[in-house]
Amino acid sequence: MRKKTTKNTRTGVFYAPIDRRRFFKSMALASAGFTLPGYLAEALTTSPIVTQGPYYPLASNIPLDKDNDLVQLNDNLTIASGIVSYINGRILDSNGDPVRGALVELWHADREGDYLYSSSAARNPACDQNFAGFGQFLTGSTGEYRFRTIKAGLYMGRTRHFHWGVTLPGRTTRSTTQTFWNETAYELNGNAWSTQNANDMVYSGITNAAQRASVALDYTAVPGTTTSEAQTTWDFVSEFTPVEPTYPNGGSLVVAGTTVAGPTGGNPRYKISVPTYAGYSYEIYGNPTMANLAWGALPFSLNQTGTIDHNI
């Protein structure tokens, strides 16, 4: 739950669907802002900060289903085309401590090199309609995050890459970086791509060798799979130390949902009632069955029987 300024308050009521493809033990509106001290003592390489790029989605582009699974959009049975890829790691502050309540955002091109971003439509019609293209995750006490997505496609002038945004508690702007594949990039036809890491404008523009190496990731095969699924780990090390924000009434809020009837003939829903404040934006996060991995973003409705049509 991210907030700005306020003077007035009222009660806000949110309804989230129960029939999600991933079961959530509890529902919550969560505000960012906690750390655990003393996690690492050794010196760490701060993650490089690079351009956000032109394709961060507009408000009208962001999918209703903006959780940490970019492979399956909403409750569609058909998944995105491409090599399924898993990436997980931790968000660490400048002292090497894990950050709780860090908002992690991931967006990138689909298998064919198209982003969901569009300047004039809800989403780019050329982008794989089964690919979310954008996801969010709110870290728990261990600072860990996890995403399931696909191997990013190639487009003119760039090598294969993921875009990342990380917003630490107490900060009003995101820090942006990009990660790359530590391999030769090939087109879908098997030919070597014209732009590799060495001549990619963003990767080669990272002048610090240790920082550059930290974002060139090795992917390995996922054991037990027969579909070339890949996985990697990566820690984002911020140059900042989180600061607990000041919110009305403390700001931190975790609320269990109450089961209520949904639309006629439909599944029941969770009802969540919270005090809301003018000038603030609200997002709903569910605590999935992933132990300390905290919160996945959930779509919701503002009334009990209406269409699930909000994500903020």
Side-chain angles (χ1 to χ4, degrees), residues 13 20 63 76 96-97 112-113 125 164 211 214 236 277-278:
V13 181
R20 300 284 296 157
N76 295 350
D97 296 328
E112 303 289 338
W164 297 91
Q211 287 186 321
S214 73
F236 176 88
Y277 298 85

Side-chain angles (χ1 to χ4, degrees), residues 5 22 33 41 47 67-68 82 89 95 133 144 147 151 155 163 177 180 202 208 216 219 231 249 285 294 312:
T5 57
R22 287 168 303 281
S47 298
D67 59 14
N68 63 326
N95 297 315
E144 294 176 88
F147 285 93
K151 191 170 186 177
Y155 57 94
H163 294 263
T177 193
F180 304 82
V202 176
N208 182 288
Y219 283 77
Q231 62 184 358
N249 298 318
Y285 289 80
I312 187 168

Side-chain angles (χ1 to χ4, degrees), residues 4-271:
K4 298 177 183 178
T5 57
T6 185
K7 291 184 179 179
N8 302 317
T9 182
R10 62 182 180 84
T11 297
V13 181
F14 306 88
Y15 298 88
I18 288 179
D19 59 329
R20 300 284 296 157
R21 63 179 179 273
R22 287 168 303 281
F23 176 71
F24 291 87
K25 283 186 173 180
S26 62
M27 310 287 287
L29 275 85
S31 64
F34 304 91
T35 62
L36 293 178
Y39 191 76
L40 291 175
E42 69 269 21
L44 298 176
T45 298
T46 302
S47 298
I49 302 303
V50 304
T51 178
Q52 176 173 281
Y55 300 123
Y56 183 89
L58 302 178
S60 60
N61 306 153
I62 292 177
L64 180 64
D65 178 16
K66 59 171 185 174
D67 59 14
N68 63 326
D69 187 354
L70 282 66
V71 172
Q72 190 173 9
L73 185 59
N74 300 318
D75 290 316
N76 295 350
L77 297 179
T78 303
I79 66 172
S81 298
I83 297 174
V84 174
S85 302
Y86 298 86
I87 182 166
N88 65 276
R90 301 162 299 168
I91 306 301
L92 306 175
D93 67 16
S94 57
N95 297 315
D97 296 328
V99 181
R100 179 181 178 183
L103 180 66
V104 187
E105 299 173 288
L106 169 65
W107 68 101
H108 62 88
D110 69 4
R111 179 174 179 267
E112 303 289 338
D114 293 306
Y115 286 82
L116 69 88
Y117 168 87
S118 173
S119 61
S120 59
R123 63 176 284 152
N124 176 13
C127 184
D128 182 349
Q129 295 301 299
N130 296 307
F131 177 54
F134 175 89
Q136 290 184 337
F137 197 85
L138 197 65
T139 60
S141 60
T142 63
E144 294 176 88
Y145 70 88
R146 179 181 297 169
F147 285 93
R148 182 175 81 139
T149 186
I150 60 166
K151 191 170 186 177
L154 298 164
Y155 57 94
M156 191 58 64
R158 292 301 314 275
T159 191
R160 204 181 307 279
H161 62 283
F162 282 166
H163 294 263
W164 297 91
V166 178
T167 307
L168 265 62
R171 295 197 58 79
T172 58
T173 57
R174 69 176 67 88
S175 297
T176 57
T177 193
Q178 298 179 28
T179 56
F180 304 82
W181 274 253
N182 189 25
E183 63 182 25
T184 301
Y186 290 95
E187 299 179 63
L188 295 176
N189 61 15
N191 294 329
W193 185 242
S194 58
T195 305
Q196 300 291 330
N197 289 353
N199 63 326
D200 181 87
M201 60 182 178
V202 176
Y203 183 82
S204 62
I206 302 171
T207 57
N208 182 288
Q211 287 186 321
R212 191 167 59 249
S214 73
V215 292
L217 308 182
D218 293 313
Y219 283 77
T220 59
V222 176
T225 63
T226 59
T227 55
S228 301
E229 294 186 3
Q231 62 184 358
T232 193
T233 60
W234 172 65
D235 292 344
F236 176 88
V237 183
S238 176
E239 62 180 322
F240 302 109
T241 298
V243 176
E244 180 68 18
T246 300
Y247 292 144
N249 298 318
S252 180
L253 181 64
V254 177
V255 181
T258 301
T259 304
V260 296
T264 301
N267 292 308
R269 294 179 175 178
Y270 284 114
K271 175 183 177 181

